[in-house]
Amino acid sequence: MDHYSLKYLLDQRLTTIPQHHWVGKLLGFDFTVEYKAGTTNMVADALSRWDTKDAAVGMVLAVSGPWFDFISRLCHAQATDLALVAVHDKLTADTRTAPWAITDGLVTFEGRLYIPPSSPLL
Protein backbone atom coordinates (compact mmCIF):
# COMPACT_ATOMS: atom_id res chain seq x y z
CA MET A 1 0.00 0.00 0.00
CA ASP A 2 1.38 3.39 -0.98
CA HIS A 3 0.94 6.19 1.56
CA TYR A 4 2.29 8.99 -0.62
CA SER A 5 -0.89 11.01 -0.04
CA LEU A 6 -0.01 11.37 3.66
CA LYS A 7 2.73 13.76 2.61
CA TYR A 8 -0.05 16.24 1.74
CA LEU A 9 -2.37 15.47 4.66
CA LEU A 10 -2.31 19.00 6.05
CA ASP A 11 -2.67 20.60 2.60
CA GLN A 12 -5.77 18.77 1.40
CA ARG A 13 -9.48 19.26 2.06
CA LEU A 14 -10.65 17.20 5.02
CA THR A 15 -13.80 15.37 3.99
CA THR A 16 -14.25 12.64 6.60
CA ILE A 17 -14.59 12.58 10.36
CA PRO A 18 -11.49 10.34 10.81
CA GLN A 19 -9.43 12.85 8.83
CA HIS A 20 -10.56 15.68 11.13
CA HIS A 21 -9.84 13.49 14.15
CA TRP A 22 -6.27 12.62 13.15
CA VAL A 23 -5.36 16.06 11.86
CA GLY A 24 -6.63 17.52 15.14
CA LYS A 25 -4.28 15.19 17.04
CA LEU A 26 -1.32 15.88 14.75
CA LEU A 27 -1.59 19.68 14.87
CA GLY A 28 -0.12 19.65 18.37
CA PHE A 29 3.21 18.39 16.99
CA ASP A 30 5.94 20.00 14.90
CA PHE A 31 6.69 17.43 12.17
CA THR A 32 7.28 16.89 8.50
CA VAL A 33 6.26 13.87 6.47
CA GLU A 34 8.99 12.45 4.27
CA TYR A 35 7.95 9.89 1.70
CA LYS A 36 10.18 6.96 0.78
CA ALA A 37 9.12 4.57 -1.91
CA GLY A 38 8.74 0.96 -0.78
CA THR A 39 11.67 -0.15 -2.94
CA THR A 40 14.05 2.27 -1.18
CA ASN A 41 12.62 1.91 2.32
CA MET A 42 14.08 -1.50 3.14
CA VAL A 43 12.95 -1.59 6.78
CA ALA A 44 9.30 -0.89 5.99
CA ASP A 45 9.51 -3.23 3.02
CA ALA A 46 10.81 -6.07 5.18
CA LEU A 47 8.07 -5.56 7.76
CA SER A 48 5.32 -5.47 5.18
CA ARG A 49 6.59 -8.64 3.46
CA TRP A 50 7.31 -10.82 6.50
CA ASP A 51 4.99 -13.56 5.32
CA THR A 52 6.78 -14.28 2.05
CA LYS A 53 8.95 -17.36 1.61
CA ASP A 54 12.18 -15.34 1.39
CA ALA A 55 11.46 -13.44 4.60
CA ALA A 56 10.87 -16.61 6.58
CA VAL A 57 14.49 -17.77 6.09
CA GLY A 58 16.05 -15.45 8.68
CA MET A 59 12.99 -14.70 10.77
CA VAL A 60 13.41 -14.15 14.49
CA LEU A 61 10.35 -13.89 16.68
CA ALA A 62 10.43 -12.23 20.05
CA VAL A 63 7.70 -12.04 22.63
CA SER A 64 7.80 -9.46 25.33
CA GLY A 65 5.39 -8.58 28.05
CA PRO A 66 5.13 -6.76 31.30
CA TRP A 67 6.99 -8.16 34.27
CA PHE A 68 4.97 -8.10 37.45
CA ASP A 69 7.18 -8.72 40.44
CA PHE A 70 4.95 -7.10 43.04
CA ILE A 71 4.11 -10.35 44.84
CA SER A 72 7.74 -11.46 45.07
CA ARG A 73 8.73 -8.01 46.34
CA LEU A 74 5.88 -8.12 48.87
CA CYS A 75 7.02 -11.56 50.07
CA HIS A 76 10.51 -10.17 50.60
CA ALA A 77 9.16 -7.08 52.40
CA GLN A 78 7.01 -9.20 54.72
CA ALA A 79 9.89 -11.60 55.45
CA THR A 80 12.27 -8.78 56.40
CA ASP A 81 9.88 -6.79 58.64
CA LEU A 82 10.52 -8.05 62.18
CA ALA A 83 7.12 -7.03 63.56
CA LEU A 84 5.31 -8.72 60.71
CA VAL A 85 7.43 -11.86 61.07
CA ALA A 86 6.21 -12.03 64.68
CA VAL A 87 2.58 -11.61 63.53
CA HIS A 88 3.14 -14.35 60.94
CA ASP A 89 4.55 -16.69 63.59
CA LYS A 90 1.57 -16.05 65.92
CA LEU A 91 -0.87 -16.68 63.07
CA THR A 92 0.90 -19.92 62.21
CA ALA A 93 0.75 -21.00 65.87
CA ASP A 94 -2.97 -20.03 66.05
CA THR A 95 -2.35 -17.56 68.88
CA ARG A 96 -3.54 -14.58 66.86
CA THR A 97 -6.87 -14.25 65.06
CA ALA A 98 -8.91 -11.85 62.96
CA PRO A 99 -8.52 -9.31 61.46
CA TRP A 100 -5.11 -10.83 60.67
CA ALA A 101 -4.78 -13.94 58.50
CA ILE A 102 -2.40 -15.79 56.21
CA THR A 103 -3.61 -16.12 52.64
CA ASP A 104 -1.46 -17.96 50.10
CA GLY A 105 1.54 -17.53 52.38
CA LEU A 106 1.10 -13.75 52.71
CA VAL A 107 -0.08 -11.86 55.77
CA THR A 108 -3.41 -10.10 55.24
CA PHE A 109 -5.26 -7.57 57.37
CA GLU A 110 -9.04 -7.45 57.02
CA GLY A 111 -8.77 -9.55 53.86
CA ARG A 112 -6.25 -7.26 52.16
CA LEU A 113 -2.55 -7.77 51.55
CA TYR A 114 -0.56 -6.06 54.28
CA ILE A 115 2.37 -3.93 53.16
CA PRO A 116 4.80 -3.18 55.99
CA PRO A 117 5.30 0.55 56.68
CA SER A 118 9.06 0.22 56.13
CA SER A 119 8.54 -1.27 52.66
CA PRO A 120 9.47 0.68 49.50
CA LEU A 121 6.23 -0.63 47.97
CA LEU A 122 4.22 2.07 49.76
Side-chain angles (χ1 to χ4, degrees):
M1 181 176 280
D2 190 3
H3 295 291
Y4 183 74
S5 63
L6 289 177
K7 183 173 181 179
Y8 303 103
L9 178 66
L10 299 177
D11 298 332
Q12 62 185 332
R13 175 186 281 170
L14 304 177
T15 58
T16 65
I17 292 174
Q19 284 177 327
H20 283 277
H21 173 77
W22 286 108
V23 167
K25 287 186 177 282
L26 292 173
L27 285 177
F29 299 95
D30 182 25
F31 67 95
T32 57
V33 177
E34 295 182 20
Y35 175 76
K36 279 183 130 178
T39 55
T40 60
N41 192 353
M42 299 304 267
V43 175
D45 196 47
L47 291 174
S48 64
R49 300 178 197 283
W50 70 272
D51 59 345
T52 62
K53 292 178 185 175
D54 295 334
V57 173
M59 186 184 305
V60 175
L61 297 176
V63 177
S64 65
W67 178 262
F68 298 106
D69 63 343
F70 176 78
I71 298 297
S72 61
R73 291 173 58 201
L74 180 60
C75 287
H76 176 71
Q78 285 191 355
T80 56
D81 187 81
L82 296 178
L84 200 56
V85 169
V87 170
H88 186 278
D89 291 343
K90 289 180 181 178
L91 288 168
T92 305
D94 287 331
T95 59
R96 186 165 199 143
T97 57
W100 295 93
I102 297 177
T103 307
D104 294 329
L106 293 168
V107 176
T108 59
F109 182 80
E110 294 182 347
R112 298 180 181 173
L113 291 173
Y114 183 80
I115 301 174
S118 61
S119 171
L121 296 173
L122 286 178

